[in-house]
Amino acid sequence: METPKRQLAELFDTLEARYGQQLPNWPTDPYFFLVWWHCGYPASDASCAKGWESLQSRIGLEPDPLLAANPSKLALALKPGGMVPEIRAMRLKEIAERVQKEFGGDLLAALKGLSKARARAALKKFPGIADPGADRILLFGGISPVPAVPSNCTQVLVRIQLGQEHENYGRTYSEAQEIIEANVPATFDARIRAYLLLKCHGQQICKRTNPKCGACPIAPSCAYFAGKMRGRPSPAQRQ
Ligand code: SF4
């Protein structure tokens, strides 16, 4: 009989065969990720990329030009990324100042010198960073191979292994983390690959509302699809 570990490894292979090899399309350095994250609002790959490009060409991305920039010019540079550019401009200044003053200008090196718990706590003090953001930075920054889960796709792994996700976001996030921790090798490569494939699948097919199970390559192995639900009936059972 297949173990859950083996089964999940095969599912990731199937997803990779469907979507191809995935690469992060955001900066993986912790400081630059924090800048990128505030380049767009609501934050998405597309909005952050637009704001990032504009910021890079008009002001610069390093702490010094961000600190020296006039706040209204900084806000103007962030405008292509979406709403509340003035607030995002102030947050970028806060990030730049803290990185200079508290982390000696090198956030990555400073985080690598801390325990995992202290690094996570330090990251969560930056504006807009909660557990999912901190885990993403720790994993992609090469600081610790934590079981990070894409924040807008927490439902995917839980559906595959357990059935219906919880309405409580924190609970679903924790369950997805537990599945990764138990079944995906604790290496940067394996967990980055898992994160990127789950993100891609959650955005394209296993969407939060109305997952397209009929088009899903892993439906035969999915507990949600099979109707092995906890608490609520599956869409298949409701029909
Ligand atoms: S079968 Fe449906 S619920 Fe399961 S992984 Fe595919 S899209 Fe998601």
Side-chain angles (χ1 to χ4, degrees):
M1 196 179 133
E2 259 192 333
T3 63
K5 240 181 218 176
R6 180 80 213 124
Q7 193 190 26
L8 206 58
E10 285 173 6
L11 292 186
F12 283 125
D13 289 345
T14 305
L15 290 177
E16 196 166 61
R18 171 69 167 258
Y19 300 117
Q21 191 188 6
Q22 300 296 304
L23 294 170
N25 54 3
W26 61 85
T28 54
D29 172 85
Y31 165 73
F32 288 120
F33 175 80
L34 290 171
V35 172
W36 180 85
W37 188 243
H38 289 88
C39 279
Y41 192 85
S44 68
D45 291 355
S47 67
C48 291
K50 274 188 200 161
W52 170 270
E53 227 170 82
S54 169
L55 182 68
Q56 187 169 30
S57 60
R58 296 188 196 195
I59 306 282
L61 303 167
E62 299 284 346
D64 285 345
L66 292 182
L67 287 170
N70 172 295
S72 47
K73 279 192 181 161
L74 188 52
L76 200 64
L78 291 170
K79 216 170 174 186
M83 295 159 66
V84 293
E86 297 81 8
I87 294 173
R88 290 187 283 120
M90 296 319 294
R91 288 186 173 164
L92 281 189
K93 280 187 173 287
E94 180 188 336
I95 291 164
E97 187 174 353
R98 291 194 51 209
V99 166
Q100 293 286 48
K101 288 188 177 163
E102 296 174 30
F103 298 94
D106 190 342
L107 183 58
L108 176 61
L111 292 172
K112 281 190 167 174
L114 298 175
S115 68
K116 183 170 69 178
R118 290 190 62 201
R120 176 185 276 112
L123 285 167
K124 285 172 68 177
K125 286 187 186 154
F126 283 101
I129 298 298
D131 282 318
D135 289 337
R136 178 175 177 171
I137 293 170
L138 292 172
L139 178 63
F140 283 89
I143 298 158
S144 177
V146 295
V149 182
S151 61
N152 54 356
C153 302
T154 52
Q155 73 281 3
V156 180
L157 260 188
V158 174
R159 286 175 182 165
I160 293 169
Q161 288 232 319
L162 305 172
Q164 177 74 56
E165 73 273 22
H166 297 284
E167 281 178 9
N168 180 299
Y169 177 86
R171 220 171 142 196
T172 302
Y173 186 80
S174 300
E175 279 191 347
Q177 277 200 304
E178 283 163 20
I179 294 169
I180 294 176
E181 186 66 39
N183 298 294
V184 179
T187 66
F188 289 107
D189 284 351
R191 291 193 169 175
I192 285 174
R193 176 176 178 256
Y195 181 104
L196 293 171
L197 287 169
L198 291 172
K199 182 170 187 282
C200 187
H201 191 50
Q203 287 175 337
Q204 297 199 26
I205 292 184
C206 193
K207 298 178 181 216
R208 217 172 242 180
T209 52
N210 297 325
K212 301 174 190 164
C213 299
C216 179
I218 55 177
S221 309
C222 176
Y224 179 100
F225 187 67
K228 294 174 189 164
M229 315 295 279
R230 294 171 310 155
R232 283 191 285 172
S234 69
Q237 286 171 322
R238 283 191 220 122
Q239 285 164 8

